[in-house]
């Protein structure tokens, strides 16, 4: 079964850091681009970041550029999101998603991990 | 940044009726338009990619159409499990953007 499983969410104070992980199974991980999408409580979907199959190319929303870093370890079938200098407005459920070629759609999603930034 | 505007914000219909959801882009996205369904507490599910291609396992009652700036998701005959929030998404240009969503509720 094709599956993505996020972990690493939790409660963090403003200015703190958190590293999210997304473990993949059931498909050839290195053949697919990947992405993070977040959803603030009661709000819509917001794309956060994407990474190419090799990790050589990365893309970020302006709202997180310079603050978040996406990476992947193809030997461990795992995607990461390093989140630094967290703000209250970063509070959201963070989903990892597999992308179709050219990043044109997200065909497989994880169940999400909740990140709460609060003092 | 390409802005996607979905309408209506909320659509109230009964099972068996036809649902028509709209997504309008602030500039052309060619056919790089996808549709998702999201139920409470769940991850989104891909319904349609490239404006009109149904994803694997998606029932035939879901169909997508359009190109350029105007797109439509049609559900031909609503089933009880179709009541959810629907989002459109584009990747013609970076950044990837989503519409604000249409809530499809039972009348």
């Amino acid at each position: 079964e094709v599956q993505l499983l996020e972990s690493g969410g939790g409660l963090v104070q403003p200015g703190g850091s958190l590293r999210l992980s997304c473990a993949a199974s059931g498909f050839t991980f290195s053949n697919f681009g990947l992405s993070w999408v977040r959803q603030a409580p009661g709000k819509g979907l917001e794309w956060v970041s994407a990474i190419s199959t090799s990790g050589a190319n990365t893309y970020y929303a302006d709202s997180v550029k310079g603050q978040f870093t996406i990476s992947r370890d193809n030997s461990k079938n795992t995607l990461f999101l390093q989140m630094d200098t967290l703000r209250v407005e970063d509070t959201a459920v963070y989903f990892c998603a597999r992308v179709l070629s050219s990043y044109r759609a997200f065909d497989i999603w994880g169940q999400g991990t909740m990140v709460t930034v609060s003092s | 940044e390409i802005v996607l505007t979905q309408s209506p914000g909320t659509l109230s219909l009964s099972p068996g009726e036809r649902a028509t959801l709209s997504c309008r882009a602030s500039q052309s996205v060619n056919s790089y338009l996808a549709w998702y369904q999201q139920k409470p507490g769940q991850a989104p599910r891909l319904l349609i990619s490239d404006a009109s291609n149904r994803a694997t396992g998606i029932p035939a009652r879901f169909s997508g159409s359009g190109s350029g700036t105007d797109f439509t998701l049609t559900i031909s005959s609503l089933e009880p499990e179709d009541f959810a929030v629907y989002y459109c998404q584009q990747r013609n240009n970076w950044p990837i953007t989503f519409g604000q969503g249409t809530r499809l509720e039972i009348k």
Side-chain angles (χ1 to χ4, degrees), chain A residues 35 37 39 43-47 50 59-62 95 100-112, chain B residues 1 32-34 36 38 41-46 48-50 53 87 89-91 94-100:
Chain A
S35 192
V37 176
Q39 187 169 37
K43 303 297 184 182
L45 301 170
E46 180 189 15
W47 172 74
Y59 309 87
Y60 297 93
D62 285 346
F95 298 100
L100 298 178
S101 62
S102 301
Y103 305 90
R104 67 191 195 277
F106 308 106
D107 68 334
I108 303 294
W109 295 67
Q111 87 292 345
Chain B
E1 171 175 319
Y32 282 123
L33 196 287
Y36 302 85
Q38 188 179 33
Q42 296 185 16
R45 177 174 70 146
L46 176 65
I48 302 286
S49 65
D50 301 322
N53 292 335
Y87 294 95
Q89 170 253 318
Q90 70 80 28
R91 214 306 283 167
W94 295 98
I96 294 169
T97 52
F98 288 89
Q100 84 280 14

Side-chain angles (χ1 to χ4, degrees), chain A:
Chain A
E1 180 188 3
V2 175
Q3 197 169 9
L4 297 170
L5 186 64
E6 302 94 336
S7 61
L11 175 63
V12 61
Q13 291 188 336
S17 296
L18 214 52
R19 189 192 198 203
L20 305 184
S21 299
C22 173
S25 59
F27 64 97
T28 303
F29 184 77
S30 58
N31 285 354
F32 289 87
L34 298 161
S35 192
W36 291 96
V37 176
R38 68 184 179 184
Q39 187 169 37
K43 303 297 184 182
L45 301 170
E46 180 189 15
W47 172 74
V48 172
S49 183
I51 189 167
S52 62
T53 54
S54 67
N57 297 304
T58 57
Y59 309 87
Y60 297 93
D62 285 346
S63 58
V64 305
K65 199 171 294 183
Q67 181 192 2
F68 290 4
T69 303
I70 191 171
S71 62
R72 63 190 295 163
D73 185 339
N74 285 347
S75 69
K76 295 183 178 179
N77 291 353
T78 305
L79 172 71
F80 302 100
L81 185 68
Q82 177 66 42
M83 304 186 296
D84 297 321
T85 320
L86 283 161
R87 303 182 280 244
V88 171
E89 54 265 35
D90 295 316
T91 295
V93 174
Y94 285 73
F95 298 100
C96 65
R98 190 178 80 171
V99 302
L100 298 178
S101 62
S102 301
Y103 305 90
R104 67 191 195 277
F106 308 106
D107 68 334
I108 303 294
W109 295 67
Q111 87 292 345
T113 187
M114 181 71 203
V115 172
T116 302
V117 185
S118 174
S119 55

Side-chain angles (χ1 to χ4, degrees), chain B:
Chain B
E1 171 175 319
I2 294 178
V3 176
L4 299 178
T5 302
Q6 293 187 240
S7 61
T10 301
L11 185 58
S12 299
L13 294 170
S14 301
E17 290 192 293
R18 181 184 186 91
T20 303
L21 287 68
S22 174
C23 178
R24 177 163 290 177
S26 59
Q27 64 189 79
S28 175
V29 299
N30 294 299
S31 293
Y32 282 123
L33 196 287
W35 290 94
Y36 302 85
Q37 177 193 68
Q38 188 179 33
K39 297 179 180 179
Q42 296 185 16
R45 177 174 70 146
L46 176 65
L47 300 174
I48 302 286
S49 65
D50 301 322
S52 61
N53 292 335
R54 260 192 315 276
T56 303
I58 301 303
R61 64 181 181 272
F62 290 91
S63 64
S65 63
S67 66
T69 61
D70 290 300
F71 299 86
T72 300
L73 174 70
T74 301
I75 310 171
S76 58
S77 179
L78 285 165
E79 297 288 342
E81 62 267 27
D82 298 337
F83 293 92
V85 179
Y86 292 83
Y87 294 95
C88 58
Q89 170 253 318
Q90 70 80 28
R91 214 306 283 167
N92 189 67
N93 291 352
W94 295 98
I96 294 169
T97 52
F98 288 89
Q100 84 280 14
T102 289
R103 180 177 304 276
L104 178 57
E105 64 176 27
I106 299 176
K107 187 173 182 180

